[in-house]
Amino acid sequence: MDKNCEFGYRAWLQPGKSLVVPDYTFSGDDGFALKELKRGLAKMNENGHGVIDLSVTSDLVPQSYTITGSLEDVVIKGGCEAGLLYGVYGFVARLHQGHTDFNVVEKPVAAKRILNHWDNITGKIERGYSGNSLFFKDGKVGYNLKRLEDYARLLASVGINEISINNVNVTTESAKLITDYLPDVVKIADVFRPFGIRLIISVHFESPAILGGLETSDPLDAEVASWWKKVAAHVYKAIPDLAGFLVKADSEFRAGPMTLGRTQAEGANVIAAALAPFGATVYWRCFVYNCMQDWRDTATDRPKAAYDYFYPLDGQFDDNVIIQIKHGPSDFQVREPNSPLLGNMDKTRQGIEFQVTQEYTGQQKDLYALAVQWEEIFDHPVTDKANTRELIGNKIEAVVAVANVGDDTNWTGHLLAQANLYAYGRMAWNPNLTAEEVTREWAMLTFGADPAVINPIVDMVLKSRSVYEKYNAPLGIGWMVNINHHYGPSVDGYEYMKWGTYHRADTTAIGVDRTTAGTGYTSQYHPHVQAMYENKETCPEEILLYFHRLPYDYKLKSGQTLIQYIYDTHFEGVEGVEGFIKTWESLKGLLPEEAYTPVKARLQLQLTNAIEWRDVINSYFYRKTGSLDAKGRKIYT
Amino acid sequence: MDKNCEFGYRAWLQPGKSLVVPDYTFSGDDGFALKELKRGLAKMNENGHGVIDLSVTSDLVPQSYTITGSLEDVVIKGGCEAGLLYGVYGFVARLHQGHTDFNVVEKPVAAKRILNHWDNITGKIERGYSGNSLFFKDGKVGYNLKRLEDYARLLASVGINEISINNVNVTTESAKLITDYLPDVVKIADVFRPFGIRLIISVHFESPAILGGLETSDPLDAEVASWWKKVAAHVYKAIPDLAGFLVKADSEFRAGPMTLGRTQAEGANVIAAALAPFGATVYWRCFVYNCMQDWRDTATDRPKAAYDYFYPLDGQFDDNVIIQIKHGPSDFQVREPNSPLLGNMDKTRQGIEFQVTQEYTGQQKDLYALAVQWEEIFDHPVTDKANTRELIGNKIEAVVAVANVGDDTNWTGHLLAQANLYAYGRMAWNPNLTAEEVTREWAMLTFGADPAVINPIVDMVLKSRSVYEKYNAPLGIGWMVNINHHYGPSVDGYEYMKWGTYHRADTTAIGVDRTTAGTGYTSQYHPHVQAMYENKETCPEEILLYFHRLPYDYKLKSGQTLIQYIYDTHFEGVEGVEGFIKTWESLKGLLPEEAYTPVKARLQLQLTNAIEWRDVINSYFYRKTGSLDAKGRKIYT
C-alpha cells in the first residue's frame, strides 16, 4: 500500500506509537484474542512491566466482557471467545483514550448487530460511494483475503457480529451464492469467523424457480418447501454457523409472495422452515410499497404501506423470522418519524434497519454525522410506552445497517465517514451512548488525544447533520433530490413520478396532510404519539412538513414564516459548510497530510453542493410564491 | 421471417399483387437497374404486352431521370446508373399510384441526401427506438448481408445517396472503423454501392492520439496532419468511393480543436486536407455549445452558440468541408426557429441536419409526422432573401438526417414511423413536395389505393404533429421532458441543470427574452427576420415563447390568455389522440392484422403519454399560477 494511505486504511485502529504502556506479559487464554491484543499493543512505547490475564468464563453472559485492574495488572474476561475479543479491543481503545484504571462491565444491548452490504456480483456496490466491492469482482466472488481480514477486525472492534455480503437486490447470478458459488462463500466465512462475525446471504425469493428449475416459487407449494430444505441442508453443511438468509421480496419490481397471491408471512415461513433445523434466521425486509403509484392519486400514501402490509400479519411469522423494518416509513431521508411498525407487533420478532451508506445524506461527498440522527431516532417515541432506545435489546433484537464501505483505501471514501461506521457499531452495541460520546471516541482513536485537534473535529462532525439538513429539503418533507442517483437538488424530481413521494407545492402551500383529516397515516401510531403528530402545535417542528400541509405564511415558533424559514436555513446551510472549511483549514499542519488534503477537497465539493441546494431551493420557492427573502439576500429569480 | 411481419418489413415496397400491368419485355441497359425493375414488377398481374427501355445517357445530368411513354411502351432514362435506378423505383411507385401515362422529369434538388446512423459498436443505437443496429453487434461490426441489401433498396428507393454507419459519439473502439475494422466496412460498402449509396464513417477527433499513439491530436501539429493523410490513403485504398468522414467535436464532453486552443476550421481542415486527394468530404457538425452552463447565468444563451462559434470562421474552412447545421438552434425540438447560420456564411459549404428518429417527438411510441414540421421549416425565412427551401440545392448542398431505423422487423418500431423515413428521402430529393403529397404517396405505396383506407390514414398522420405539439411544451419553449431519456413530461427536468435549456417560469411569467432587449439572440438573423421575431405582434405565435418572456395573462390573437391557451391545448392534445384511436379502429378489417394491431397498441401508449403530458403540464402551471381552467375541466391540484 502507498505509505500515504496507511492512515486512512487503519481507520480507528491506528498504531499507538505515541502511547506509553508497560512491557506486558500475558497469562490465561492464549487463543485468537491474545493474538489480537498483541497486535493492538504493537508499536506502543514500553515503560515498566505489567501483566494481562485473558479468560473466557461462563460467569459472564455470551458476548459480554469485563476489564478490571490497573495499567500494570489487567484482567480481561469474556463471556465467550467473541466477548473476550471485544474486551481486548475495548481495552486497547481505552488505552488510546488515556484510561489507566479499569472497572469496565460491558454487554451488548442488541444481540444482533448487523451490516448489510449492497454489493453486486459485478463488483459494483448499489448506493456505494467508496469504490467497489470487497467481496465480488467482475461477475463472481473475488476478494483479497488480507483485506477481508483487516475489514473483519475493523468491524469486530466495534462489535458487529453478522454481515450479509451481497445486495438484497439479488440477481440471477448472485442467487447462486447458495449453490454454485457456495465454496467461495465458505472461504469468506472462514475469514470472518475468528472475529465473531457470522455471514448472512441475501437470497432471491424466486430461487426455487431460478436455481431449482421448479415451475413456481409459491411458498405453499410442497416442492418449493422441499427445495428450500434441500438447499438449506447443503448450505449449512458448508457453513454451519451461517446466521441466515436476508430477503427483499415484493419490493421495487422484485417478485415476492404477494405476486403469487400469498402473504409476506407465508413467503418468509417457507424459508424459515428450511433454516429452523440449523438455528438460523430469516431476515425479511418490510420495505414493501407501491412503486407504481399514480401521482394524481392522493388517497394512497406510501408511508402507510409497511404497516398496512405487515401489521395484520402479527403472529403469523415463524419463530426464526425477524422482520427488518426501516427506521422510518419513507426511505432513509434526512428526517423522518419512526416507523409505526416498530415495537407494535407483539408476536413478531423485529430488527431496525439504518443506512450507514449516505444515499440521501451526502453520498460521502458531504459530511453528515449519522450518529446525531440515530440519537434522535432513539429518542423518538414509537409506542405510548417506549421510545426506540428502550425497545432495542427488548422487542427489537437486531440492529441492522446498510454498509458504507468499499475498496477505497480508506474504506469509506470520505475519511470522516469512518465516523459513521464506527458510531453505528458502538450505538448498536449500546444505544445509550450519545452521538458526542461515540464521535469523540472515534476522533481520539483516529487522530490522537490532542484536544486542539479533537475538539474542532468533534464539533464539526456533530454539527454536520444540522448543516446538511438546513440546505436540504425543509422540515422533514424529503425527496427533493435528483432522480436515480439521489445527489443534489431537484425539487420536482420525484413530484410527478410513480414512487409515491410528493410535496404537492403550489403557490400558497406545501406538504401532504397525513393526519386523520388527510391520508390518516398518523392513525398507525399509538394514541399519544398520534396526538403529538396530529396537532401542528405539538408536532416536532423539524418534521412538521412530514405530517402537515402548510401555507407559506405559516408562523413557526421562532416567529419566522415558513417561506422565510426556507430561505434562512438555506443561507445558513451554506454558511455552515463555509465554517467547516475554516475549521478544517485551522487544522492544517496538525493532521497527517493524507487526512488533511482529501478531506479539504471533499469539503469544497460539499460547498458546491450546498450552494446548489441553496440556490435551487430558494429559486424554486421564489418562483412558486413570488416572495423574496425578507433580508434581501440574493435569490436567483 | 414470420409471415406476419412481411408487411412491415416490405414497408413502402409492397408487392403489387392487386395491380394489373402488361407482360413486359425489356430492352436497353440490362444491369442492376433492370434487376431491380424486375423485382419491383414481381407479383403484379399481367395483361397484354408491353416494353420498357432502360438507358443511361449523358444527355441527363447525373442522378436525374426521365420516364416517358404509356403503360405499354415505357422509356426510362438515367443521367447515371444511380439516376436510372431512381427512375426504375420512381416508375414502380407511379404504377402503384395508378399512373398510366408518363412524362416525368426528375432531378434531385439536393445533391447529397444523407442519413446519419447513431449506431454504437455495442449494437445499441443512441436515440434508437426500433431495436438494435443493422451494422454492429456485441462490440464489433456485425450484420445480416441480406437485410442490409433490403435496407439499401429501401433507402435508394427514396433517393438517399450517402449514409454514415456509426454514431457521431465515437468511442475508442468504434474509432477503429478506419483501421482494424476497415475490412468489415468494405463489405458494408459493397452492399450499398450498387444502390448508389456511398458510406460515410464517423471519426474520433482524437484519432491521431487514440489510434496513432501520437502525443496530441492538435490539428496544427505536422505529425497529426501526416497521420490523417496516412490513414486516409489506407481507407481510400480499401473504399475508393467512401463519401467522407463525419465529425462531432468540442461537443457534449467530446474533445475537439477548441480543447487544444484551435478553431473549428483548423480542426476540420486537417482532416479535409487528408481527404482532398480522394475527392471526399469532411462533414463537420456545428452542434457546439456550453453544456456546463450555470443555470444562474442569464447572459449565456445556448441558441446563440453555433452562430457565435462558426459565423466568424466563414472563409476559413477548406473547400471539401461541409458544415452540418442542425435545422434549429436548439436540438430537434417540436418547434424551433431556423438556425441563423443557415445560408449566412457566404464562403462556407453547408448541410442542414434533421432528425428522423423521434428523440423529442414521441420516440416512435407517439405518432408524429415530421414531414409537416419539415414543410414548415422549409417555409421559414433564414435570410432576408430566402427561406430554407430556396437554399436547398443552392447554398445548402447537403440534406442530412439522423436515421430512425433498427433491426425491428418493420425497421422503425412504429409502423407509421416509416412515413417519416419515406418523407425524409422524398423531401430531401425535392423540398417542394408538400407533407400531404409525400404522406399520400407513402400511404398508397404501403396500404394500397383504396381511398377509404388512405384518406383517414393520411389525415391522421398529417394531424399528428399538431396533436403532439399541443400536449407538449407550449409555444415553442421546448425541453419540458424527462432528463436523459427524453420521453414524457418533466417541466423542471432541465430547469436547474447545466444544459442551457431554461424556461424560468415563475408565478407571473414564463420564457426567456431573446430579443435585443434580452439575450440578443435575435440579432443573429438578417434584419427583416430579426424584426419579425423581435416583435411580439409579428413573431409567429406558435413560437412566441422561444423569443419572448410573457405573463400568463398575455392575450393571444385568439383572445385566449397564455395560461388558458396552455390548458386548452393540453386538453385538445389528448382529444386528438383519442380521435386517432377512433380513426384507426374504423380501419379494422381494412388493414392487415399485422399493421392494425401493433399500431393500435402504440396509439394506446400514446394516449397514456398524452394524458401524462396534459396532467403534468396543467398541474404544474396551476401550481405555479393558482389559475384554474376557465372551462372547469379537471386539473389535478
Side-chain angles (χ1 to χ4, degrees):
Chain A
M1 188 188 327
D2 183 344
K3 279 274 172 198
N4 289 328
C5 299
E6 284 184 15
F7 180 84
Y9 188 80
R10 286 189 188 126
W12 54 82
L13 298 175
Q14 298 291 332
K17 15 183 190 211
S18 65
L19 290 186
V20 181
V21 295
D23 179 12
Y24 283 116
T25 53
F26 305 95
S27 62
D29 190 297
D30 61 356
F32 189 76
L34 176 61
K35 219 173 107 198
E36 286 295 291
L37 177 58
K38 286 180 178 168
R39 170 190 280 270
L41 294 175
K43 301 206 188 174
M44 293 194 185
N45 297 308
E46 292 168 353
N47 182 25
H49 291 278
V51 60
I52 304 178
D53 185 76
L54 304 181
S55 61
V56 172
T57 166
S58 58
D59 294 349
L60 297 176
V61 297
Q63 299 201 55
S64 70
Y65 68 86
T66 60
I67 311 172
T68 51
S70 65
L71 200 55
E72 290 76 24
D73 188 3
V74 186
V75 177
I76 306 176
K77 294 183 181 179
C80 63
E81 289 290 344
L84 182 60
L85 194 63
Y86 298 143
V88 161
Y89 295 129
F91 169 67
V92 175
R94 281 172 177 82
L95 287 181
H96 277 274
Q97 291 168 76
H99 296 212
T100 52
D101 286 287
F102 306 96
N103 190 18
V104 177
V105 179
E106 282 277 350
K107 180 168 104 58
V109 173
K112 290 168 173 286
R113 304 168 302 280
I114 304 174
L115 269 188
N116 286 171
H117 294 87
W118 283 358
D119 292 21
N120 292 320
I121 199 154
T122 59
K124 299 281 175 209
I125 302 176
E126 182 165 332
R127 310 304 175 189
Y129 312 105
S130 326
N132 292 321
S133 174
L134 298 171
F135 304 108
F136 306 107
K137 197 175 173 181
D138 298 335
K140 43 193 180 189
V141 181
Y143 41 76
N144 170 336
L145 276 181
K146 167 69 173 63
R147 178 136 201 196
L148 282 193
E149 188 185 313
D150 289 336
Y151 183 47
R153 177 174 298 112
L154 216 52
L155 298 187
S157 75
V158 292
I160 304 294
N161 65 348
E162 294 183 18
I163 61 168
S164 66
I165 58 171
N166 62 310
N167 193 351
V168 290
N169 290 318
V170 181
T171 61
T172 309
E173 195 61 24
S174 60
K176 297 181 193 160
L177 288 182
I178 54 174
T179 55
D180 303 9
Y181 293 119
L182 190 60
D184 297 311
V185 181
V186 168
K187 290 178 204 157
I188 299 177
D190 290 345
V191 174
F192 282 86
R193 186 173 295 108
F195 292 93
I197 298 171
R198 297 164 72 193
L199 300 198
I200 297 168
I201 300 175
S202 299
V203 299
H204 198 302
F205 182 75
E206 294 183 298
S207 292
I210 292 173
L211 302 175
L214 302 190
E215 281 186 14
T216 178
S217 297
D218 181 350
L220 299 195
D221 182 279
E223 276 194 82
V224 168
S226 92
W227 186 86
W228 279 114
K229 284 193 172 144
K230 194 183 66 190
V231 165
H234 174 69
V235 169
Y236 278 86
K237 192 167 172 206
I239 312 176
D241 62 349
L242 189 84
F245 290 167
L246 170 61
V247 192
K248 176 181 183 179
D250 284 316
S251 176
E252 296 181 335
F253 310 110
R254 302 192 66 72
M258 279 154 50
T259 324
L260 302 161
R262 309 303 182 189
T263 69
Q264 295 292 308
E266 288 166 336
N269 292 347
V270 69
I271 307 177
L275 297 192
F278 310 102
T281 305
V282 170
Y283 299 93
W284 188 265
R285 294 179 89 230
C286 299
F287 189 50
V288 178
Y289 68 98
N290 175 13
C291 66
M292 291 294 282
Q293 186 177 337
D294 189 325
W295 60 271
R296 286 159 284 226
D297 165 12
T298 53
T300 304
D301 190 19
R302 171 168 160 182
K304 296 168 73 177
Y307 187 94
D308 282 347
Y309 286 121
F310 283 86
Y311 185 76
L313 301 176
D314 191 21
Q316 297 182 29
F317 288 94
D318 282 359
D319 286 348
N320 63 328
V321 175
I322 291 179
I323 63 166
Q324 188 166 313
I325 307 163
K326 288 195 181 192
H327 67 78
S330 291
D331 186 19
F332 302 133
Q333 301 298 293
V334 174
R335 179 75 66 172
E336 296 185 36
N338 286 6
S339 169
L341 271 182
L342 291 167
N344 267 339
M345 292 172 74
D346 291 344
K347 301 168 211 143
T348 307
R349 293 172 69 191
Q350 295 193 337
I352 185 169
E353 182 178 311
F354 298 100
Q355 201 184 39
V356 191
T357 194
Q358 294 170 236
E359 179 176 358
Y360 293 96
T361 53
Q363 303 197 353
Q364 285 137 257
K365 291 193 188 82
D366 296 21
L367 184 64
Y368 186 97
L370 283 157
V372 175
Q373 184 172 3
W374 295 330
E375 185 179 331
E376 291 164 352
I377 290 168
F378 292 159
D379 281 341
H380 285 174
V382 281
T383 70
D384 278 356
K385 300 189 197 92
N387 63 22
T388 319
R389 181 179 293 109
E390 292 157 340
L391 289 175
I392 291 174
N394 294 299
K395 181 70 216 166
I396 299 174
E397 59 189 286
V399 179
V400 187
V402 184
N404 66 342
V405 294
D407 70 356
D408 278 0
T409 308
N410 70 5
W411 308 94
T412 55
H414 198 315
L415 180 74
L416 304 188
Q418 292 181 350
N420 288 327
L421 185 58
Y422 182 89
Y424 169 66
R426 295 289 291 134
M427 292 172 89
W429 178 280
N430 182 6
N432 298 300
L433 290 169
T434 65
E436 177 163 3
E437 284 168 335
V438 298
T439 304
R440 189 166 292 277
E441 278 179 24
W442 159 79
M444 289 183 78
L445 297 177
T446 306
F447 294 105
D450 182 1
V453 172
I454 297 310
N455 290 341
I457 292 178
V458 170
D459 182 61
M460 173 173 146
V461 170
L462 290 175
K463 278 182 181 152
S464 64
R465 193 286 181 102
S466 160
V467 163
Y468 185 89
E469 183 173 30
K470 281 183 174 181
Y471 62 75
N472 264 258
L475 295 178
I477 200 157
W479 296 113
M480 293 179 171
V481 292
N482 281 308
I483 58 167
N484 302 329
H485 64 72
H486 299 165
Y487 188 76
S490 176
V491 182
D492 275 2
Y494 279 95
E495 190 57 17
Y496 300 96
M497 305 279 281
K498 295 178 187 290
W499 298 92
T501 55
Y502 313 113
H503 56 68
R504 305 194 190 279
D506 64 18
T507 55
T508 59
I510 180 169
V512 170
D513 181 357
R514 296 202 162 98
T515 69
T516 46
T519 71
Y521 164 66
T522 53
S523 64
Q524 295 185 342
Y525 289 99
H526 279 209
H528 283 84
V529 181
Q530 176 186 345
M532 175 184 71
Y533 289 135
E534 188 85 1
N535 184 329
K536 288 186 195 68
E537 302 302 317
T538 56
C539 180
E541 209 164 52
E542 62 274 13
I543 203 161
L544 207 47
L545 283 174
Y546 199 95
F547 289 99
H548 298 279
R549 182 170 178 83
L550 297 175
Y552 298 108
D553 59 3
Y554 181 82
K555 278 274 173 61
L556 296 171
K557 297 200 170 78
S558 63
Q560 286 162 300
T561 58
L562 173 58
I563 185 73
Q564 191 56 37
Y565 172 86
I566 291 172
Y567 294 150
D568 284 346
T569 48
H570 284 80
F571 285 108
E572 288 162 15
V574 171
E575 288 157 15
V577 179
E578 289 166 343
F580 294 163
I581 292 173
K582 278 204 193 103
T583 299
W584 196 251
E585 287 174 341
S586 77
L587 296 171
K588 188 169 166 70
L590 300 176
L591 294 172
E593 185 59 23
E594 179 207 338
Y596 179 80
T597 304
V599 169
K600 172 97 189 287
R602 299 243 167 182
L603 291 172
Q604 291 291 356
L605 273 181
Q606 179 172 7
L607 182 60
T608 305
N609 190 39
I611 290 170
E612 191 68 11
W613 273 96
R614 176 194 69 192
D615 291 343
V616 170
I617 294 273
N618 287 352
S619 288
Y620 179 93
F621 285 101
Y622 163 73
R623 291 181 183 182
K624 204 130 218 179
T625 64
S627 296
L628 281 166
D629 174 44
K631 298 174 189 163
R633 290 163 294 191
K634 176 70 180 171
I635 290 179
Y636 295 87
T637 54
Chain B
M1 191 187 328
D2 182 344
K3 279 275 172 199
N4 289 328
C5 299
E6 284 184 14
F7 180 86
Y9 188 81
R10 286 187 188 127
W12 54 83
L13 298 177
Q14 298 291 333
K17 18 184 186 205
S18 66
L19 290 186
V20 180
V21 295
D23 179 13
Y24 283 117
T25 51
F26 305 95
S27 63
D29 189 297
D30 61 354
F32 189 76
L34 176 60
K35 219 173 106 196
E36 286 296 291
L37 176 59
K38 286 181 176 167
R39 169 187 281 270
L41 294 175
K43 302 205 186 175
M44 293 195 186
N45 298 308
E46 292 168 355
N47 182 24
H49 292 277
V51 60
I52 304 179
D53 185 76
L54 304 181
S55 61
V56 172
T57 166
S58 58
D59 293 349
L60 297 176
V61 296
Q63 300 202 54
S64 70
Y65 68 86
T66 60
I67 311 172
T68 51
S70 65
L71 202 56
E72 290 75 26
D73 188 3
V74 186
V75 177
I76 307 176
K77 295 183 181 179
C80 63
E81 289 290 346
L84 182 60
L85 193 63
Y86 298 143
V88 161
Y89 294 129
F91 169 67
V92 175
R94 280 170 177 81
L95 287 180
H96 278 272
Q97 292 168 75
H99 296 214
T100 52
D101 285 288
F102 306 95
N103 190 18
V104 177
V105 179
E106 282 279 348
K107 179 169 105 55
V109 174
K112 290 169 173 284
R113 304 167 301 280
I114 305 175
L115 268 189
N116 286 172
H117 294 88
W118 283 357
D119 291 20
N120 292 321
I121 200 154
T122 59
K124 299 282 173 208
I125 302 176
E126 182 166 332
R127 310 303 174 191
Y129 312 105
S130 327
N132 292 320
S133 174
L134 297 171
F135 304 108
F136 305 107
K137 197 174 174 181
D138 298 336
K140 44 194 180 190
V141 180
Y143 41 75
N144 170 337
L145 275 181
K146 167 70 172 63
R147 178 133 203 200
L148 281 193
E149 187 185 313
D150 289 337
Y151 183 47
R153 176 174 300 111
L154 215 52
L155 298 187
S157 74
V158 292
I160 303 294
N161 66 346
E162 295 183 19
I163 61 167
S164 66
I165 57 171
N166 62 311
N167 192 353
V168 290
N169 290 318
V170 181
T171 61
T172 309
E173 196 61 24
S174 60
K176 296 179 192 161
L177 289 181
I178 53 173
T179 54
D180 302 9
Y181 293 118
L182 189 59
D184 297 312
V185 182
V186 168
K187 290 178 203 156
I188 299 176
D190 289 345
V191 174
F192 283 87
R193 186 174 295 108
F195 292 92
I197 298 171
R198 296 164 73 192
L199 300 198
I200 296 167
I201 300 176
S202 298
V203 298
H204 199 301
F205 182 75
E206 293 181 299
S207 292
I210 291 173
L211 302 175
L214 303 190
E215 282 186 12
T216 178
S217 296
D218 181 351
L220 299 195
D221 182 280
E223 276 193 82
V224 168
S226 92
W227 185 87
W228 279 113
K229 284 191 171 144
K230 195 183 67 191
V231 165
H234 174 68
V235 168
Y236 278 85
K237 193 170 173 203
I239 312 175
D241 62 350
L242 188 83
F245 290 166
L246 170 61
V247 192
K248 176 181 184 179
D250 285 317
S251 177
E252 297 181 336
F253 310 110
R254 304 193 64 74
M258 278 155 50
T259 324
L260 302 162
R262 309 302 182 191
T263 70
Q264 295 292 308
E266 287 166 335
N269 291 347
V270 69
I271 306 177
L275 297 192
F278 310 101
T281 305
V282 170
Y283 298 94
W284 187 266
R285 294 180 89 231
C286 299
F287 189 50
V288 178
Y289 68 99
N290 175 13
C291 66
M292 291 293 282
Q293 184 177 337
D294 189 324
W295 60 270
R296 285 158 284 223
D297 164 13
T298 53
T300 303
D301 189 20
R302 172 168 157 181
K304 296 168 72 176
Y307 187 94
D308 283 346
Y309 285 122
F310 282 86
Y311 185 76
L313 301 176
D314 190 24
Q316 297 182 29
F317 288 95
D318 281 0
D319 285 348
N320 63 327
V321 175
I322 290 180
I323 64 166
Q324 188 166 313
I325 306 164
K326 288 195 180 190
H327 66 78
S330 291
D331 186 18
F332 303 133
Q333 301 298 293
V334 174
R335 181 76 67 170
E336 296 185 38
N338 286 5
S339 169
L341 270 181
L342 291 167
N344 266 339
M345 291 172 73
D346 291 343
K347 300 169 209 139
T348 308
R349 294 171 68 190
Q350 294 193 337
I352 185 169
E353 182 179 311
F354 299 100
Q355 200 183 40
V356 191
T357 194
Q358 294 172 236
E359 178 177 358
Y360 293 96
T361 54
Q363 304 198 351
Q364 284 135 257
K365 292 194 188 81
D366 297 20
L367 184 64
Y368 186 98
L370 282 157
V372 176
Q373 183 172 5
W374 295 330
E375 186 179 333
E376 291 165 350
I377 290 168
F378 292 159
D379 281 342
H380 285 175
V382 281
T383 69
D384 278 356
K385 302 190 197 89
N387 63 21
T388 319
R389 182 179 293 109
E390 293 157 338
L391 289 176
I392 292 174
N394 292 300
K395 180 70 215 167
I396 299 174
E397 60 189 284
V399 178
V400 187
V402 184
N404 66 342
V405 294
D407 69 357
D408 278 1
T409 308
N410 71 4
W411 308 95
T412 55
H414 198 315
L415 181 75
L416 304 187
Q418 292 181 351
N420 288 328
L421 184 58
Y422 183 89
Y424 169 67
R426 296 288 292 135
M427 293 172 89
W429 178 280
N430 182 5
N432 299 301
L433 289 169
T434 65
E436 177 162 4
E437 285 168 334
V438 297
T439 304
R440 189 165 292 280
E441 280 180 23
W442 159 79
M444 291 183 77
L445 296 177
T446 305
F447 294 104
D450 181 1
V453 173
I454 297 310
N455 289 343
I457 292 178
V458 170
D459 182 61
M460 172 174 147
V461 170
L462 291 175
K463 277 182 183 152
S464 63
R465 193 284 182 103
S466 161
V467 164
Y468 185 90
E469 183 173 32
K470 280 183 174 181
Y471 60 77
N472 264 257
L475 295 178
I477 200 158
W479 296 113
M480 292 179 172
V481 291
N482 281 309
I483 57 167
N484 302 328
H485 63 74
H486 299 165
Y487 188 75
S490 177
V491 182
D492 275 1
Y494 279 95
E495 189 57 18
Y496 300 96
M497 305 279 281
K498 294 176 187 292
W499 297 93
T501 56
Y502 312 112
H503 56 68
R504 306 192 190 278
D506 64 19
T507 54
T508 60
I510 181 171
V512 170
D513 181 357
R514 295 202 162 98
T515 69
T516 46
T519 71
Y521 165 67
T522 52
S523 65
Q524 294 185 342
Y525 288 99
H526 280 207
H528 284 83
V529 182
Q530 175 185 347
M532 175 184 73
Y533 288 135
E534 187 86 0
N535 184 329
K536 288 187 196 64
E537 302 303 316
T538 55
C539 180
E541 209 164 53
E542 62 275 11
I543 204 162
L544 207 46
L545 284 174
Y546 199 95
F547 290 99
H548 297 279
R549 181 171 178 83
L550 297 175
Y552 297 109
D553 59 3
Y554 181 83
K555 279 274 173 61
L556 296 171
K557 297 201 171 78
S558 63
Q560 286 162 301
T561 58
L562 173 59
I563 185 73
Q564 190 56 38
Y565 172 86
I566 291 173
Y567 294 151
D568 285 347
T569 47
H570 284 80
F571 285 109
E572 288 162 16
V574 171
E575 288 156 16
V577 180
E578 288 166 344
F580 294 163
I581 292 174
K582 277 202 194 104
T583 299
W584 197 251
E585 285 173 343
S586 77
L587 295 171
K588 188 168 167 69
L590 299 176
L591 293 172
E593 185 60 23
E594 180 205 341
Y596 180 79
T597 304
V599 169
K600 172 99 188 288
R602 300 242 168 183
L603 291 171
Q604 291 292 357
L605 272 183
Q606 179 172 7
L607 182 60
T608 304
N609 189 40
I611 290 171
E612 190 68 12
W613 272 93
R614 177 194 68 192
D615 291 343
V616 170
I617 294 273
N618 287 352
S619 288
Y620 179 93
F621 285 102
Y622 163 73
R623 291 182 183 181
K624 204 130 216 177
T625 64
S627 296
L628 280 165
D629 173 44
K631 298 172 190 166
R633 290 163 293 191
K634 176 70 181 171
I635 290 179
Y636 295 86
T637 53

